[in-house]
Amino acid sequence: MESKQSIAVAIVDDHTLFCRSMEVMINRLRGYTVVFTASDGLDFIHKIKTREKPDIVIMDRLMPIMDGASTILWLKQNYPEVSVILLSVNYSEEAILKTIKSGVKGYLLKDAELDEFKAALESVAKGGLYYPEFVTHYLLKSVNKSVEINTDLESLKPHEIDFIRLASSEFTYKEIADQMNVSLRTVDGYRDHLFQKLNIKSRVGLVLFAIKYKIIETE
């Protein structure tokens, strides 16, 4: 996500008091503005079509009428450039991994501390990912089962290894281009080629690949 003066945020949660409290908190953070709130997925779909489009959506997982999973699927199909941080009270490994595979950029428990919430918001605003330590543990456990690789490290070129390492960080693609001293179009080419080469569909998949082959350190 490219940096700009203010990051537009939408909040989707059916608990009115929680939603309003979060709106006040986010609006007090420098560089973030809540552009609208919604009570469920259908309300969100209506508002994103008629209000300012958010950069980041803070979304509850369990909601009436249209839940978080269905809303994320709709968002991915219609506004794939919008990032989602999912809020949940669920520690279930299966549910969390399913959510991450849907493409959410962040996962937070509703009882997370303010500093952790700010860290998640900042990471996703920069185009990165944010998962708590226990979620990373689930990813490490599942990586051998969940990632099907069509190649090995020996087939990767040095610049591809460098790109995977940088893509597994909080850098935006523009910042990766600056780090590698190439154009943004070249970086887009690296990404698209690796997605096809590794049978990967998202940046999360690149992170899982990097973890599996120890391209990045997880400890």
Side-chain angles (χ1 to χ4, degrees), residues 37-103:
T37 65
S39 59
D40 58 63
L42 284 180
D43 187 28
F44 169 76
I45 288 173
H46 171 72
K47 288 180 177 176
I48 197 173
K49 293 177 180 178
T50 58
R51 310 285 182 88
E52 179 182 347
K53 185 181 71 174
D55 301 301
I56 298 174
V57 179
I58 312 295
M59 187 178 300
D60 190 13
R61 192 178 73 87
L62 296 177
M63 297 180 291
I65 304 176
M66 187 173 183
D67 65 7
S70 300
T71 309
I72 290 166
L73 178 61
W74 181 89
L75 196 57
K76 186 175 182 181
Q77 293 171 343
N78 292 274
Y79 294 89
E81 70 279 11
V82 176
S83 299
V84 175
I85 298 176
L86 195 72
L87 299 179
S88 180
V89 294
N90 196 334
Y91 284 87
S92 164
E93 180 174 349
E94 181 180 357
I96 290 171
L97 291 175
K98 183 177 180 180
T99 298
I100 290 174
K101 289 177 182 178
S102 72

Side-chain angles (χ1 to χ4, degrees), residues 129-144:
L129 308 168
Y130 187 91
Y131 305 129
E133 185 176 345
F134 77 94
V135 174
T136 303
H137 176 68
Y138 290 162
L139 288 171
L140 288 169
K141 281 179 61 181
S142 69
V143 67
N144 288 324

